[in-house]
Structure formats: C-alpha cells, structure tokens
Amino acid sequence: MKFNWKYLAATLTLLVAIVAIALWMPGGFIRYHFGDVLIVILIYTTIRIFVRNSWRWLPLAILAFAVAVEIGQYFGLIYLLGLGDNRFFRVAIGTTFDPWDIVMYAVGCGLIAAYDIWRVKR
C-alpha cells in the first residue's frame, strides 16, 4: 500500500464540488442527479488514495454499496438507527429513496470502469 497524492487531490476537488453543489444548488439535475454521479467517483478516488493496484471489481463493489445505501433509504434506515434528527447523518445517509439515484450511481461507476480500462491500456 502506497499513498497516492494524485487521488488525494482528486478526492479533495470532488469533495469541494459536492459540498458546493449541496450548499448552493437549489435543485434540478445538477443537485439531484449529477451529484450522485460525483459521489461514487469520490468513493473511488478515496479508496485509490491507499490502494495502488487496480482492482477490476472496485466499480461494481462501489455500485453495490451505493445501491445498499439507497435501499436503506427505502426502508427508512436512518430512522431505524435513531439518527433521523441528526442533520449530518440525514445528509450523509439520505432520507428519500429515488430509483434515479441508482441509475446515476451506475453511470458514475460506468465512468470509473471506463477510466480504469483506459488507464490500464495506456
């Protein structure tokens, strides 16, 4: 395991973009859909800070995690955990199930997979 500064920079950039979208975008496609694409890419870059070798199943694992969180939203997981009154967890875990979120997670993971394929081939 070796620390990767390029992925750290990418992670911090994505984090700033996601927070900016959450704070200053009132709604619409960018806030509700493009942000979901960025979230899975953020998870990927965060993992790649510490994992040097490509793991070809990583995009699928991230997609499975994101879908599990979305299914948790469907079943009201945040309320089952007693975190419904905590603003941080309401934002981090989410409260509203939307099947379009799963589509956007898949798009983001597809972009990750395409990037990995491109990176390995070059």
Side-chain angles (χ1 to χ4, degrees):
M1 182 175 358
K2 184 177 178 183
F3 195 83
N4 190 315
W5 292 100
K6 290 178 186 177
Y7 283 110
L8 175 63
T11 297
L12 294 175
T13 302
L14 284 166
L15 185 60
V16 167
I18 290 166
V19 169
I21 288 170
L23 292 176
W24 294 304
M25 290 287 178
F29 179 82
I30 299 292
R31 167 94 184 221
Y32 297 124
H33 299 298
F34 186 64
D36 292 332
V37 172
L38 293 181
I39 286 293
V40 294
I41 297 173
L42 174 71
I43 294 169
Y44 171 82
T45 59
T46 302
I47 292 170
R48 290 304 309 269
I49 291 170
F50 306 103
V51 176
R52 182 182 177 117
N53 296 334
S54 257
W55 182 37
R56 66 180 185 205
W57 296 104
L58 184 56
L60 187 59
I62 292 170
L63 179 60
F65 171 76
V67 169
V69 170
E70 198 67 27
I71 290 170
Q73 291 174 2
Y74 178 80
F75 289 107
L77 180 63
I78 192 138
Y79 303 107
L80 295 172
L81 295 174
L83 300 172
D85 294 332
N86 186 305
R87 181 169 166 78
F88 172 79
F89 286 109
R90 287 177 57 87
V91 171
I93 296 172
T95 57
T96 307
F97 173 80
D98 183 358
W100 279 107
D101 289 352
I102 295 172
V103 172
M104 293 298 111
Y105 298 147
V107 168
C109 288
L111 291 172
I112 294 167
Y115 168 75
D116 265 351
I117 290 168
W118 171 80
R119 191 176 53 76
V120 168
K121 286 188 176 184
R122 88 178 170 119

mmCIF file of all heavy atoms in Angstrom, residues 19-33:
data_model
loop_
_atom_site.group_PDB
_atom_site.id
_atom_site.type_symbol
_atom_site.label_atom_id
_atom_site.label_comp_id
_atom_site.label_asym_id
_atom_site.label_seq_id
_atom_site.Cartn_x
_atom_site.Cartn_y
_atom_site.Cartn_z
ATOM 1 N N VAL A 19 -19.785 19.506 -2.004
ATOM 2 C CA VAL A 19 -20.267 20.395 -0.946
ATOM 3 C C VAL A 19 -20.838 21.673 -1.564
ATOM 4 O O VAL A 19 -21.894 22.160 -1.136
ATOM 5 C CB VAL A 19 -19.148 20.708 0.075
ATOM 6 C CG1 VAL A 19 -19.543 21.833 1.009
ATOM 7 C CG2 VAL A 19 -18.798 19.449 0.864
ATOM 8 N N ALA A 20 -20.177 22.210 -2.587
ATOM 9 C CA ALA A 20 -20.678 23.416 -3.257
ATOM 10 C C ALA A 20 -22.045 23.149 -3.888
ATOM 11 O O ALA A 20 -22.954 23.990 -3.780
ATOM 12 C CB ALA A 20 -19.679 23.887 -4.314
ATOM 13 N N ILE A 21 -22.196 22.015 -4.524
ATOM 14 C CA ILE A 21 -23.487 21.653 -5.115
ATOM 15 C C ILE A 21 -24.553 21.559 -4.028
ATOM 16 O O ILE A 21 -25.666 22.063 -4.179
ATOM 17 C CB ILE A 21 -23.384 20.332 -5.904
ATOM 18 C CG1 ILE A 21 -22.588 20.551 -7.197
ATOM 19 C CG2 ILE A 21 -24.767 19.761 -6.211
ATOM 20 C CD1 ILE A 21 -22.224 19.267 -7.917
ATOM 21 N N ALA A 22 -24.202 20.912 -2.913
ATOM 22 C CA ALA A 22 -25.178 20.741 -1.822
ATOM 23 C C ALA A 22 -25.574 22.077 -1.197
ATOM 24 O O ALA A 22 -26.728 22.266 -0.823
ATOM 25 C CB ALA A 22 -24.596 19.812 -0.754
ATOM 26 N N LEU A 23 -24.627 23.011 -1.125
ATOM 27 C CA LEU A 23 -24.912 24.279 -0.459
ATOM 28 C C LEU A 23 -25.564 25.315 -1.363
ATOM 29 O O LEU A 23 -26.411 26.085 -0.914
ATOM 30 C CB LEU A 23 -23.620 24.872 0.120
ATOM 31 C CG LEU A 23 -22.986 24.133 1.289
ATOM 32 C CD1 LEU A 23 -21.674 24.783 1.669
ATOM 33 C CD2 LEU A 23 -23.938 24.098 2.478
ATOM 34 N N TRP A 24 -25.166 25.341 -2.641
ATOM 35 C CA TRP A 24 -25.578 26.460 -3.478
ATOM 36 C C TRP A 24 -26.468 26.108 -4.668
ATOM 37 O O TRP A 24 -26.911 27.003 -5.372
ATOM 38 C CB TRP A 24 -24.347 27.219 -3.965
ATOM 39 C CG TRP A 24 -23.648 27.873 -2.811
ATOM 40 C CD1 TRP A 24 -24.190 28.745 -1.911
ATOM 41 C CD2 TRP A 24 -22.295 27.690 -2.409
ATOM 42 N NE1 TRP A 24 -23.259 29.116 -0.984
ATOM 43 C CE2 TRP A 24 -22.075 28.478 -1.262
ATOM 44 C CE3 TRP A 24 -21.236 26.929 -2.904
ATOM 45 C CZ2 TRP A 24 -20.870 28.545 -0.620
ATOM 46 C CZ3 TRP A 24 -20.023 27.008 -2.260
ATOM 47 C CH2 TRP A 24 -19.843 27.792 -1.123
ATOM 48 N N MET A 25 -26.732 24.853 -4.892
ATOM 49 C CA MET A 25 -27.649 24.477 -5.972
ATOM 50 C C MET A 25 -29.022 24.215 -5.352
ATOM 51 O O MET A 25 -29.167 23.319 -4.520
ATOM 52 C CB MET A 25 -27.174 23.219 -6.696
ATOM 53 C CG MET A 25 -25.956 23.401 -7.531
ATOM 54 S SD MET A 25 -26.389 24.336 -8.979
ATOM 55 C CE MET A 25 -24.818 24.471 -9.757
ATOM 56 N N PRO A 26 -30.018 24.982 -5.734
ATOM 57 C CA PRO A 26 -31.331 24.829 -5.105
ATOM 58 C C PRO A 26 -32.044 23.540 -5.494
ATOM 59 O O PRO A 26 -32.899 23.063 -4.772
ATOM 60 C CB PRO A 26 -32.111 26.047 -5.609
ATOM 61 C CG PRO A 26 -31.441 26.425 -6.889
ATOM 62 C CD PRO A 26 -29.996 26.038 -6.729
ATOM 63 N N GLY A 27 -31.712 22.965 -6.598
ATOM 64 C CA GLY A 27 -32.385 21.748 -7.048
ATOM 65 C C GLY A 27 -32.053 21.491 -8.500
ATOM 66 O O GLY A 27 -31.096 22.027 -9.030
ATOM 67 N N GLY A 28 -32.829 20.639 -9.117
ATOM 68 C CA GLY A 28 -32.631 20.350 -10.530
ATOM 69 C C GLY A 28 -31.647 19.224 -10.778
ATOM 70 O O GLY A 28 -31.222 18.512 -9.864
ATOM 71 N N PHE A 29 -31.291 19.068 -12.044
ATOM 72 C CA PHE A 29 -30.460 17.948 -12.471
ATOM 73 C C PHE A 29 -29.115 17.921 -11.764
ATOM 74 O O PHE A 29 -28.675 16.858 -11.311
ATOM 75 C CB PHE A 29 -30.247 18.005 -13.992
ATOM 76 C CG PHE A 29 -29.373 16.900 -14.502
ATOM 77 C CD1 PHE A 29 -29.907 15.643 -14.736
ATOM 78 C CD2 PHE A 29 -28.027 17.104 -14.729
ATOM 79 C CE1 PHE A 29 -29.106 14.604 -15.179
ATOM 80 C CE2 PHE A 29 -27.223 16.074 -15.183
ATOM 81 C CZ PHE A 29 -27.764 14.829 -15.414
ATOM 82 N N ILE A 30 -28.437 19.055 -11.680
ATOM 83 C CA ILE A 30 -27.099 19.084 -11.075
ATOM 84 C C ILE A 30 -27.158 18.606 -9.632
ATOM 85 O O ILE A 30 -26.390 17.744 -9.218
ATOM 86 C CB ILE A 30 -26.490 20.502 -11.144
ATOM 87 C CG1 ILE A 30 -26.330 20.962 -12.585
ATOM 88 C CG2 ILE A 30 -25.161 20.565 -10.400
ATOM 89 C CD1 ILE A 30 -25.301 20.216 -13.375
ATOM 90 N N ARG A 31 -28.067 19.137 -8.867
ATOM 91 C CA ARG A 31 -28.163 18.794 -7.445
ATOM 92 C C ARG A 31 -28.613 17.356 -7.224
ATOM 93 O O ARG A 31 -28.031 16.628 -6.425
ATOM 94 C CB ARG A 31 -29.140 19.757 -6.762
ATOM 95 C CG ARG A 31 -29.580 19.350 -5.379
ATOM 96 C CD ARG A 31 -28.736 19.961 -4.323
ATOM 97 N NE ARG A 31 -29.116 19.499 -3.012
ATOM 98 C CZ ARG A 31 -29.178 20.268 -1.963
ATOM 99 N NH1 ARG A 31 -28.909 21.532 -2.074
ATOM 100 N NH2 ARG A 31 -29.493 19.776 -0.812
ATOM 101 N N TYR A 32 -29.667 16.953 -7.938
ATOM 102 C CA TYR A 32 -30.292 15.670 -7.622
ATOM 103 C C TYR A 32 -29.735 14.485 -8.400
ATOM 104 O O TYR A 32 -29.955 13.346 -7.992
ATOM 105 C CB TYR A 32 -31.808 15.761 -7.822
ATOM 106 C CG TYR A 32 -32.449 16.757 -6.899
ATOM 107 C CD1 TYR A 32 -33.210 17.801 -7.385
ATOM 108 C CD2 TYR A 32 -32.269 16.668 -5.523
ATOM 109 C CE1 TYR A 32 -33.794 18.719 -6.534
ATOM 110 C CE2 TYR A 32 -32.835 17.580 -4.664
ATOM 111 C CZ TYR A 32 -33.600 18.605 -5.167
ATOM 112 O OH TYR A 32 -34.161 19.513 -4.316
ATOM 113 N N HIS A 33 -29.051 14.722 -9.486
ATOM 114 C CA HIS A 33 -28.567 13.590 -10.275
ATOM 115 C C HIS A 33 -27.062 13.618 -10.492
ATOM 116 O O HIS A 33 -26.380 12.625 -10.221
ATOM 117 C CB HIS A 33 -29.295 13.525 -11.618
ATOM 118 C CG HIS A 33 -30.767 13.343 -11.467
ATOM 119 N ND1 HIS A 33 -31.315 12.231 -10.857
ATOM 120 C CD2 HIS A 33 -31.804 14.130 -11.796
ATOM 121 C CE1 HIS A 33 -32.620 12.338 -10.839
ATOM 122 N NE2 HIS A 33 -32.959 13.491 -11.402
#
